Every structure is written in C-alpha cells, then in structure tokens.
Amino acid sequence: MGILLIITFLLLFIAGVPVVYAILLPAIGYVLIEGFPIGLLAQRVTYALDSFPLVAVPIFIFVGNLMNLAGVTDRIFRFADTLVGRAPGGLAQVNIFSSLIFSGMSGAALADVGGLGKIEIEAMRKRGFEAPFSAAVTAASAVVGPIFPPSIPLIVYGSVTSVSIVQLLVAGIVPALICVALLMVTAAVLSLRHKMPRASRWPTLREVGSALVPALPALLAPVLMISGMMLGLFTPTEAAAVTAFYVILISSLVYRELTWAHLRDSMLATLKSTSAILIIVAAAALFGWILAVEQVPQDFAKMILTLSTNPIVLLLIANLIFFIAGMFLDSTTATLLVVPVIAPPMVLAGVDPVHLGIVAIFNLMVGLLTPPMGLSLFLVSEIAQISLRQLLKALAPFYVPLIITLGIITFAPDLVLWLPGFLR
Amino acid sequence: EELRYAHVGAEGDIQTRYASEAADAIAAETDGEVTVQVFPASQLGGVAEMVDGVRMGSISMGHHDFASLARIVPDVAVFNAPFIYRDAAQALAATDPNNSPALQEINEKLISEGGVRIIGRIYRGARHISSNFEVKSPADLEDKPFRAVPLDLWVSMVKGFGATPTPVEVSELPTALMTGLVVGQENPLTMISANKLYEVQSHVALTGHMHSVLAVFVNEKAWQGLSEDNRAAITKVLEEKAQASLEWATASEEELVAELKGVGMTVITEAEGLDLEAFRKPVLEQIRADFPNFAPYIEQIAEVK
Amino acid sequence: MKIARRFVEAVCLLLLGALVLVPFAQVLLRDLFNAPIVGAEEFTRFLLICVVFVSYPLVVASGENIVMGDIRNALPAPMRRILNLFTSVAAVAVSGLIAYAVFATIGDNLNNATPTLKIPFWLFLGATFFGFFFAAIIHLVHLRKPPQKSTSVSL
Ligand code: NA
Ligand code: NA
C-alpha cells in the first residue's frame, strides 16, 4: 500500500498536478479506503505548521524580497563588482559570491534561480558575457547558497528531523566557502581561456572605500544573524526577525529608499511564496504519517541496514538517494518526503545528523542541476532563453568543483562539524 | 485486534523499553488476540498530535507526561506538579488507575470529556536541575534565563525557582545551553546523559523536584471494543511493567550519577549544601497561587500510602 | 470579488506584520529587559498557521501553486487538455474534501486550546477551513481556464 501511494504521487506530480494536490490526493484516498477518521486530514494538515522553527521561513522570504526592492541587493552587487570586477571572470565572480548569501532565502531552490538568477543573468549579459556562460554560472552558484546561512532548506531539514538548526546553519559555512572558492577558480580559468569581459583596471582604495560605505550596513546583515545565533542572543527564528528589522531600519533610515508601497509589495509577495511552500509542508505531514503507519520508513531502514552498517557506505547510499531525489523534486518537497525515510537508519548506524543534513541539502541542490530531469536546468535555460544543450555544454566544467565539494562534504565530516563543534 | 501505540520517546529511554516490552507481553498474555504496533520517536507526530490522535481514534493508544492531557481536562496536570510526592514508590501508587482516588476521579472526566482513558503509567525517574554554575538554592538562579517546557505548569515552577522561564525546543537545548541563551534546565538524568548535556553543563543539583510519571492512555472506543478478558490481560501487563519501570529507573539513577561524575560533572546533593526546602517552599507557593484547582487533589495524593 | 481579495490581503498583511514583530519584540524584551513575554512562541506559531492558510486562496487565485509542468508542456495538445481538465477537477475535489474534513472536525475541538495562551483550536482549524474552502471555490470558478502557470515552478 505504501509503495502504491508513492507511485500515485509520482505519476500525478509528473502529469503536472500542483505538488500539494499530488500529495493530498493519494493520502485522502488512503484515509477513506482504510476507514481512518477524517479528522486525521484536518489534524495533520493543520498541526504540521505548529512549529516555531518554520516561522523563520516567511521571515527570511520577507527579508529577501525587501532587500531586492529596497536597493540593498543592488549595493552589495555594486560593491562586489567594484572589488572583484577586474579579476578574471569579473561579474561572474560577483554572481557566484552573492549567491552565497542570497540563495537559500526563498525556500525553493528554483525560486532562488527564478528571482535572483534572472537579475544576475541580465547583468552579465549587459556586460557582454555570452548567455550560456552567464546561465551556467548562475545555475552552478545557486547550489551553494542553501548550505550557507540564511537557508530555508536547512531550517526545513532541522524541523523534520529535530536536529539543531543553529548547528546546521553553522556547519554549512566552511564547506560553502570552499565550494565558492572552487567555483570562482573555475570561472576565472574559463574566462581567461575565452577572454571574457572584465573591468579595465583594479579599483583604487578610495573607490573601494566609497563602494564599501553604502554596502557595509547591508553586508553586516548576515554577520549580525550568524554572530547573534552563535552568541546565544537569539534562536534561528528570532535571528530572522532581527534581520528583518535591521533591513527595514537601514533601507529606510540609511538608504532612504524604502517606501510603504515597497513594504506592502514585498509583504504580499512573501505571503504568496510562504503559502505555496508551507502548504506543501502541511500536505507532506499527512503523507508522511500514512507512510509511517504503513511502516515504509521502518522497512526501508531494515533494508538499508542489511546492505551495510558502515557509516561511509551508508553516506554514499544517502548521497545517491538524495541526488536522485533532487533530480525530480524541488528541495523542500524532497526534504519533506525523503529525509524522514533516509535519516533514521543512517543516524542509528552512527552518521552524525548535522553532517547528514549538509550532505542531504547539497546533494538535493546538485541533483536539481543534473539531466535528464534537473528542474533547475529547465528554469535557467528558459530564463536565459537558450537551449538545454547550450546550457549543459557551458555548465559541464562547473560540475567539477561541485563534485569535489560533494566529496569533501561526504568524506571530511570533521571539516563540516568543526564550527558547530564550538556549540556542542 | 491491532492497536497503534504511539509515543515520542527516543531509542534507549526507559519509556521506549516500556512500550516495546509491554507490546510483546500483551500479545503473549492475550494469546495473540490483541497485537500492539509501537510507533516510537514521534513517528506519528508530536505530543499534541498524538494526544488528539488518540482522542479521535486515528491512534489507539500512547503515553506522555500527565500534563499533555491537560488539553482535555486541565486538572490532570496535577500529577506532574513538583514536590507533591514523598518518593518514587508513592508517586507510582498515587497514579495507579485501579487504586488512586485522585486518578480515578480525573479519569472519569477524561473519558466523558475526551473519550480517552488512562490505563497505566511509567516511572521515568526524578527530574533534576543542571546548570553551568553551582546551584544550591533559588538565590543562585535569581532572574537568570532558565529553560521551561512550554506548559503553564513548568512556567509556574521555573518562576518558583526564582528564574526567568524561557522556552527552548529540545533539539536546540544543547546549543542554547552552550551559547547561554538559557543558563540551566531540568530533566531526568537519563535525558541529561542521552542528550550529552554534560558536554555543555558543569553542575547537576539533585533536586528531584518532580517525579516524572508518564500516563499510558487509550482511546475509549478502542478500549471498549476489546473483550473483558483482553482488557484485564492488558491491565495486568501494564501494572507489571509499571513496577518494572520503577526498578529500571531506580537502578539506573545510581549508575547515571556515577556516569555523570565520571564525565566531569559536579553533583550537588544535600550533603554538599543543596537546600531543598528553599526550593520546595516558593515553588509550592507559586503552584498554589497559579493552580488553585489542584489543592483537593494534592491532598488526596498526600494521603496515598 | 475585488473587495474580497483586498480584504483578505489586508488581513494577511496584518498577520505577517505581527509574525515578524512578535519574535523581534521577544528578543528585545528578553535580552535587554530580562522580561520575556510568556507564550510569545505559541502565539507566533498560531500566526504562522493563519498566515499560510488564510493567504492560500491568494496563491490559487494567481495560479502560483508549485507545479512541475515541463513534461505536460511537451505533450501533444489533446493530451495536455485532458490533463489540464483532470488537474482542475482534482484540485476542486481535494481542496473541497479537506475543507469538509476540517469543518466536520471543528465541532470536536471546541474545548481544545493551546497550553499557555488558551488560544482555542477552532481558530486554527478555522484558518485551515478558510484556506481550502475558498481554494475549492476559486478552482471551481477557474475550472476551464486555470491561471496556473505551467513552467517548471512558478513563484
Ligand atoms: Na549566482
Ligand atoms: Na544562503
């Protein structure tokens, strides 16, 4: 019965039924056929959102929208452009670095690409980069943001597995920085070889200074958030709220660009994104309950543990499963449906749950970029108006740094767990 | 019949052992007429969902702190109240669904108002205070942020400790203690050990302010759907396992104290100057003020031998 | 219709404003004044449930549900039409059934309330009902011509 439910969901999903209904339809069928009280439908769907960590989701989406509308994103871009525009790759480097902060803020990896990615591709094309390269840089860099704070995928992961969200957010910092460095090197090599545009000269100290001054308050937003959480001043959810007020403060008092209309528009956009994402969280809670009653996770755990109990082997299996899931599902959906099944046997066999979280989210993101399905590929090629073939050709070299990072994340748990170690 | 038995306990906890052993014993005792499928570790949802699931019948039975049933009958939380039992054995006697008058009175209300019946209990150990500094009396905790389970009763108790009640999710507790978001918390030693709180806490004061007894409850319709013999068999199994849980907890308490000392924690008992009276008085006063309805039950509980 | 939409938007804006404000106020009161609001977390969780469900009809009205539409778009037109109709019918049925289930459950939960602030549960369930009930109606109105964007994901 459990397998039947999963197959029905996948068929509906592929047929283009909105994800929330593709999940709910088989679940309702099950409840009615098995004679469970229909109150179960109401209870699971409503209670799933009775979660303080998930409150961070709308607030981070709000912060992201607000930053875009009130000129905060612009200033960070301009500063980065002044600083590294002369470096080989120029604006491509800016593109990669800005994803570190901004990607992971919307709750759906695809929404990051659709929002921020659109701006980045436009900017690069205006500067004379070829469309396929711009698209490839954008797609590849969007992978890394969700393991660097702020990150809604990690918050969702923590809330389904009851793993410390602070530790998850902190654990991603080092691997994300390594990945960004590798991506930047790749972009530099490619742009030197193909003589891509870059600024005519390095900036003077004064130019850096005058770009830094307006960008500084904006750059401090993630610093405020990370240090506040590490110092115990606030929880991840409160960190989101503090960041939101900070951004409102600097964009209204320092930048003086925030208007009531901005505030209203970004709030309305936030409401819709939040509802579209969290309604899936609600539906998945019902689906997950049924799978649990049908013993699907338990059976799966037994099966996995008969294959091996070696944590390294198990991690490789987890890699494969998350990678495949990422090819078909968006990050939030995949986290909700796949993680509760995979995580328990792994943790039982001794895999650190925080480590597993970083492995899972990074894999899901890379999966989004992998043919034949790779949802992110479709979206990026559509935004950049290039064919999938052109995109894949330009993207090919970027798989190297991504796979290397994946290897590092998988096989060097000490590196991942080094920073959170200070919080244990 | 098959019963779905859900709880939120993790691997290695006394409550998890209780549920799985009770499930086996019930199948054996009823010659397989009643089978119990256990869903540990919040597989079927968190506490509120589990309680409401048992109410509506999507889950047949479950167990948790008595206070979790307060959403049906508020007075049931009295069985969680601090400093109301003389010792562990008396706590178990006072929560016996077959003999304790206070429990039977409240059970009637649970059945009529929520369709839920308490049929057993689990003794999980005494709750103690852990902290990052020496705690001997409420003065040491004054106005400091202290983790409170987000229920009225705990908020009231932590106020009685003199501290500032601060809610923190269990999953964030080690981090919150490390970063100083809260400077202390209270739990059974088994939890302090299982969650490695000793890595972020230097002291444990053996206050034993609460005897943690969990209620085992069942959906009334599912219960009445069983034959009288099977109900008697289940009651017998749960009583045996309740006594067994008391033995497990008592035996492990000593081991745990030794273990926590071994990993470097400073254990404070009355011998080291822990002033239990100084805790008992303000806490009971606060509870009496915040929960006037508890008074008659507290008296009934005190009379249980 | 337009007035109803404006009204729902206004309610949602208020809810979201409070959702951001309460945790922020909690940080200030706790860290600066050592006087945290008891039950602030509970209230914020309540607001989250309301935000998500009350604004769900807005998502449906503008066709912004998350969808994987690439395969359907690659299909021949007749098949696509059949799938579109099937999707619309499924959407009406599912949201209608959930709304019904929630409505039927509200009566059983009249005494149920949150532990600290005693927020009654019918308020939570009311938000869920509102969301799915109006989603069902909007889906029904859109039956033939849903505005659902059919690209990979629309957000
Ligand atoms: Na980027
Ligand atoms: Na990020």
Side-chain angles (χ1 to χ4, degrees):
Chain A
M1 196 68 172
I3 300 301
L4 193 67
L5 282 168
I6 294 171
I7 291 172
T8 315
F9 158 71
L10 283 176
L11 285 176
L12 292 169
F13 173 75
I14 291 169
V17 173
V19 177
V20 53
Y21 300 129
I23 295 173
L24 285 175
L25 190 62
I28 293 175
Y30 176 89
V31 168
L32 295 179
I33 291 167
E34 295 283 312
F36 278 96
I38 59 164
L40 180 63
L41 300 174
Q43 189 214 33
R44 280 305 289 186
V45 169
T46 308
Y47 281 35
L49 302 178
D50 190 11
S51 151
F52 191 59
L54 286 181
V55 173
V57 172
I59 306 181
F60 275 137
I61 296 178
F62 176 53
V63 171
N65 286 336
L66 203 60
M67 281 181 154
N68 286 339
L69 274 176
V72 179
T73 311
D74 273 355
R75 283 174 174 90
I76 295 182
F77 256 79
R78 250 178 272 153
F79 168 67
D81 195 19
T82 311
L83 197 66
V84 293
R86 171 63 188 157
L91 204 58
Q93 309 291 11
V94 177
N95 182 336
I96 293 168
F97 188 78
S98 51
S99 280
L100 195 61
I101 295 163
F102 290 108
S103 172
M105 236 149 78
S106 71
L110 294 171
D112 289 333
V113 174
L116 175 69
K118 208 170 184 165
I119 302 170
E120 290 171 339
I121 292 174
E122 280 300 301
M124 282 181 70
R125 286 172 79 174
K126 257 189 230 155
R127 193 61 73 81
F129 285 88
E130 305 225 330
F133 179 75
S134 314
V137 169
T138 303
S141 61
V143 164
V144 63
I147 58 166
F148 190 91
S151 161
I152 291 176
L154 284 177
I155 291 171
V156 173
Y157 179 93
S159 76
V160 259
T161 53
S162 298
V163 171
S164 163
I165 291 168
V166 176
Q167 297 206 6
L168 283 167
L169 289 174
V170 171
I173 293 177
V174 175
L177 290 174
I178 293 175
C179 185
V180 160
L182 292 174
L183 284 170
M184 285 180 147
V185 170
T186 312
V189 171
L190 287 172
S191 55
L192 281 178
R193 195 189 295 162
H194 298 288
K195 300 212 168 49
M196 287 187 202
R198 54 203 266 200
S200 52
R201 56 177 180 80
W202 288 99
T204 62
L205 214 55
R206 175 181 301 222
E207 281 166 341
V208 172
S210 62
L212 177 64
V213 169
L216 195 61
L219 286 170
L220 282 177
V223 175
L224 171 77
M225 185 172 58
I226 297 170
S227 54
M229 283 191 301
M230 289 195 77
L231 291 174
L233 293 175
F234 29 75
T235 64
T237 302
E238 290 166 356
V242 170
T243 313
F245 271 90
Y246 177 74
V247 171
I248 290 178
L249 207 72
I250 60 171
S251 52
S252 59
L253 296 183
V254 181
Y255 297 152
R256 296 172 183 277
E257 277 187 26
L258 186 70
T259 63
W260 286 108
H262 281 150
L263 202 57
R264 202 190 70 117
D265 290 350
S266 54
M267 283 176 88
L268 280 177
T270 302
L271 283 164
K272 284 194 214 160
S273 306
T274 302
S275 185
I277 290 162
L278 292 188
I279 203 96
I280 295 178
V281 173
L286 176 63
F287 200 81
W289 193 92
I290 294 171
L291 291 187
V293 166
E294 286 291 317
Q295 302 275 304
V296 174
Q298 294 86 329
D299 292 346
F300 183 81
K302 272 183 215 139
M303 195 190 83
I304 288 270
L305 293 175
T306 55
L307 289 178
S308 170
T309 50
N310 179 332
I312 296 284
V313 178
L314 286 176
L315 266 175
L316 286 174
I317 298 175
N319 264 312
L320 192 69
I321 296 170
F322 287 124
F323 186 76
I324 294 171
M327 284 165 63
F328 292 94
L329 303 171
D330 185 45
S331 55
T332 311
T333 319
T335 307
L336 291 165
L337 295 184
V338 182
V339 166
V341 181
I342 310 284
M346 304 282 160
V347 173
L348 208 62
V351 177
D352 186 280
V354 172
H355 181 207
L356 184 65
I358 303 296
V359 169
I361 300 301
F362 194 74
N363 255 302
L364 290 175
M365 297 301 152
V366 178
L368 278 174
L369 268 192
T370 309
M373 282 290 292
L375 300 180
S376 180
L377 290 175
F378 298 134
L379 189 60
V380 171
S381 59
E382 192 181 291
I383 293 173
Q385 299 192 329
I386 53 175
S387 73
L388 212 51
R389 261 186 55 166
Q390 287 174 301
L391 176 60
L392 284 174
K393 208 173 143 218
L395 196 55
F398 287 99
Y399 286 116
V400 177
L402 294 179
I403 301 292
I404 292 176
T405 310
L406 201 53
I408 294 176
I409 290 179
T410 308
F411 294 112
D414 292 345
L415 194 76
V416 177
L417 297 174
W418 173 65
L419 264 183
F422 293 102
L423 299 173
R424 293 186 176 192
Chain B
E1 277 94 342
E2 168 146 334
L3 299 176
R4 281 181 299 275
Y5 181 169
H7 67 85
V8 302
E11 196 70 41
D13 197 319
I14 283 175
Q15 55 178 315
T16 308
R17 176 173 175 194
Y18 173 99
S20 76
E21 288 192 11
D24 292 344
I26 288 171
E29 197 75 23
T30 60
D31 295 322
E33 284 182 36
V34 180
T35 53
V36 179
Q37 174 101 55
V38 185
F39 297 92
S42 309
Q43 278 170 12
L44 298 189
V47 174
E49 278 168 285
M50 177 186 73
V51 172
D52 282 2
V54 174
R55 278 177 86 170
M56 74 167 110
S58 58
I59 298 170
S60 330
M61 61 186 290
H63 72 238
H64 200 69
D65 276 312
F66 279 88
S68 66
L69 296 172
R71 55 204 287 115
I72 306 171
V73 173
D75 291 351
V76 71
V78 69
F79 294 104
N80 266 114
F83 295 118
I84 60 162
Y85 304 116
R86 283 190 298 279
D87 53 33
Q90 198 233 354
L92 210 54
T95 49
D96 183 350
N98 301 309
N99 285 314
S100 160
L103 194 115
Q104 284 169 339
E105 196 179 320
I106 285 175
N107 217 358
E108 287 306 317
K109 288 190 198 164
L110 283 169
I111 295 164
S112 63
E113 281 167 42
V116 169
R117 176 191 289 270
I118 295 174
I119 53 171
R121 72 277 192 222
I122 307 166
Y123 184 76
R124 202 176 154 229
R127 295 177 79 101
H128 305 292
I129 292 177
S130 79
S131 56
N132 251 332
F133 47 87
E134 194 176 70
V135 173
K136 288 182 173 169
S137 77
D140 300 318
L141 287 173
E142 198 165 352
D143 288 338
K144 293 192 171 138
F146 191 94
R147 190 252 180 168
V149 176
L151 290 173
D152 283 2
L153 185 64
W154 265 266
V155 171
S156 183
M157 178 180 77
V158 171
K159 276 190 207 155
F161 287 169
T164 307
T166 308
V168 174
E169 310 260 339
V170 177
S171 57
E172 298 294 350
L173 189 51
T175 308
L177 289 166
M178 176 66 217
T179 59
L181 184 69
V182 288
V183 299
Q185 61 90 42
E186 48 82 53
N187 254 304
L189 295 183
T190 166
M191 189 278 181
I192 295 174
S193 158
N195 289 276
K196 298 191 178 163
L197 294 189
Y198 50 76
E199 289 180 357
V200 289
Q201 298 274 269
S202 55
H203 288 65
V204 58
L206 296 184
T207 46
H209 50 276
M210 273 183 182
H211 285 283
S212 181
V213 188
L214 310 184
V216 182
F217 44 89
V218 67
N219 175 279
E220 177 68 1
K221 250 194 231 151
W223 182 246
Q224 297 304 339
L226 302 173
S227 73
E228 205 162 316
D229 287 349
N230 285 340
R231 289 203 299 258
I234 293 174
T235 307
K236 178 169 163 262
V237 167
L238 296 186
E239 176 57 31
E240 284 166 14
K241 291 295 160 196
Q243 298 302 335
S245 69
L246 178 60
E247 283 165 31
W248 303 334
T250 320
S252 73
E253 180 104 353
E254 287 160 26
E255 279 169 35
L256 284 165
V257 168
E259 183 200 317
L260 294 178
K261 278 183 185 162
V263 293
M265 282 189 104
T266 309
V267 176
I268 306 167
T269 65
E270 287 184 283
E272 281 82 28
L274 175 64
D275 189 351
L276 275 182
E277 255 336 286
F279 277 104
R280 189 193 314 269
K281 227 180 125 230
V283 166
L284 278 176
E285 257 167 35
Q286 185 77 39
I287 298 281
R288 258 187 233 115
D290 294 345
F291 302 92
N293 290 349
F294 283 2
Y297 298 113
I298 292 180
E299 273 169 39
Q300 277 180 317
I301 289 169
E303 282 163 23
V304 174
K305 299 229 164 60
Chain C
M1 200 62 186
K2 206 168 177 184
I3 296 175
R5 193 191 168 110
R6 277 286 159 83
F7 179 72
V8 173
E9 281 179 359
V11 171
C12 290
L13 287 175
L14 280 178
L15 290 169
L16 181 62
L19 183 84
V20 183
L21 190 68
V22 175
F24 180 70
Q26 177 75 328
V27 172
L28 290 188
L29 287 170
R30 186 190 56 219
D31 292 355
L32 297 183
F33 302 100
N34 194 26
I37 320 163
V38 173
E41 285 73 16
E42 196 175 286
F43 185 60
T44 322
R45 294 192 325 249
F46 165 71
L47 287 172
L48 179 70
I49 291 179
C50 294
V51 160
V52 172
F53 289 114
V54 177
S55 51
Y56 185 55
L58 299 175
V59 174
V60 174
S62 48
E64 292 185 36
N65 250 322
I66 297 181
V67 157
M68 211 284 290
D70 299 275
I71 293 191
R72 181 160 76 188
N73 290 346
L75 292 174
M79 273 193 77
R80 212 159 54 207
R81 266 200 298 278
I82 295 173
L83 278 180
N84 278 339
L85 187 66
F86 169 76
T87 299
S88 296
V89 173
V92 175
V94 170
S95 36
L97 269 167
I98 298 278
Y100 170 74
V102 178
F103 186 75
T105 310
I106 288 181
D108 300 338
N109 277 282
L110 290 179
N111 297 326
N112 217 342
T114 59
T116 305
L117 300 174
K118 314 291 178 219
I119 304 171
F121 262 67
W122 58 263
L123 266 178
F124 290 77
L125 293 169
T128 317
F129 172 75
F130 178 93
F132 281 101
F133 179 75
F134 284 100
I137 290 189
I138 297 168
H139 279 308
L140 200 62
V141 172
H142 288 162
L143 195 55
R144 285 293 171 134
K145 238 181 151 344
Q148 179 72 51
K149 292 166 193 150
S150 49
T151 46
S152 311
V153 149
S154 29
L155 267 176

